[in-house]
Amino acid sequence: MTAIPTNDCGATGGSGGAAVVQEGDAVSCLDGVDNDLDSRRDCRDTECAALEACRGDGQPEDTLERCSDGVDNDGNSFLDCSDLSCSNSTTAATVEYCEGLEEDTLEKCSDGVDNDDNGYVDCSDYSCSKSADADVADRCAGIAENTLEKCSDGVDNDDNGYVDCNDYSCSKSTDADVAAHCAETAKNTVEKCSDGVNNDDDGYVDCDDCSCSQPRA
């Protein structure tokens, strides 16, 4: 497993400069850990999908065993309960297993776990953020990172791995005050890329920040 350098050009989740581990080999792709912090674990990570152990045997994914092994057995790019052949299985035990993983309760929408293995955790998952359950909806609305206060407090309020203006809900906000704040803190000038300050609060200073070293046109 290869450690990614401590800048944000290669890391795809989280912030703060901590190194993450690139997935792609038989060890990192089968250890049950989201090593590169991109919200996709093991064979669900695109870096692992081509690995022989993740490709399965091309046979139907329609038994409890095949719907819980973390492998894309039928090679259709959907694993386990994310595959309709599992979630809509004619086998009661398989359906019961998949229903048990659904991220649709207050407990499962606040435990920090990707219960349904679809790459989205808690309120970052539409099954939580768009839930018809009032308690779940209230929780997700309460932690949404969409106000000036929450877009400038240095906290990842919605637990999606991005803080303040590094979160699209802030940087692309239609709220004038939030937009002005994010524009002001954006690291997009020579001055801000050479002042030794982490202006945008993403954990990276000056040219260690991709917004400086690899600015967008």
Side-chain angles (χ1 to χ4, degrees), residues 108-178:
K108 289 185 177 180
C109 287
S110 57
D111 60 3
V113 177
D114 178 15
N115 299 279
D116 52 10
D117 282 327
N118 69 348
Y120 299 94
V121 177
D122 295 349
C123 290
S124 294
D125 192 318
Y126 273 117
S127 59
C128 293
S129 63
K130 303 297 183 182
S131 175
D133 184 300
D135 291 332
V136 175
D138 286 345
R139 178 185 186 275
C140 290
I143 66 171
E145 200 151 1
N146 55 9
T147 65
L148 180 58
E149 179 184 2
K150 289 184 177 179
C151 287
S152 59
D153 60 3
V155 177
D156 178 17
N157 298 279
D158 53 9
D159 293 323
N160 69 347
Y162 299 94
V163 177
D164 295 348
C165 290
N166 292 297
D167 192 318
Y168 273 114
S169 59
C170 293
S171 63
K172 302 298 182 182
S173 175
T174 56
D175 183 295
D177 291 333
V178 174

Side-chain angles (χ1 to χ4, degrees), residues 33-103:
V33 178
D34 176 19
N35 297 284
D36 55 7
L37 306 180
D38 65 353
S39 296
R40 296 191 180 280
R41 184 176 68 247
D42 293 350
C43 292
R44 291 175 173 78
D45 195 310
T46 54
E47 301 296 331
C48 298
L51 198 68
E52 184 176 357
C54 292
R55 291 202 301 267
D57 54 14
Q59 298 302 307
E61 195 153 5
D62 56 2
T63 65
L64 179 57
E65 180 182 2
R66 286 173 173 262
C67 289
S68 59
D69 60 3
V71 176
D72 178 18
N73 296 281
D74 54 11
N76 69 349
S77 299
F78 295 96
L79 283 68
D80 296 347
C81 292
S82 295
D83 193 318
L84 287 177
S85 60
C86 290
S87 59
N88 293 334
S89 174
T90 57
T91 305
T94 303
V95 173
E96 182 179 357
Y97 169 75
C98 289
E99 289 180 344
L101 295 178
E102 290 182 2
E103 201 150 3

Side-chain angles (χ1 to χ4, degrees), residues 157-217:
N157 298 279
D158 53 9
D159 293 323
N160 69 347
Y162 299 94
V163 177
D164 295 348
C165 290
N166 292 297
D167 192 318
Y168 273 114
S169 59
C170 293
S171 63
K172 302 298 182 182
S173 175
T174 56
D175 183 295
D177 291 333
V178 174
H181 167 69
C182 288
E184 180 181 352
T185 59
K187 192 175 294 188
N188 55 7
T189 66
V190 173
E191 179 183 1
K192 289 184 178 179
C193 287
S194 60
D195 60 5
V197 177
N198 178 26
N199 298 281
D200 53 7
D201 291 323
D202 65 351
Y204 302 95
V205 176
D206 295 348
C207 290
D208 284 333
D209 193 316
C210 262
S211 55
C212 290
S213 61
Q214 297 179 20
R216 295 179 180 177

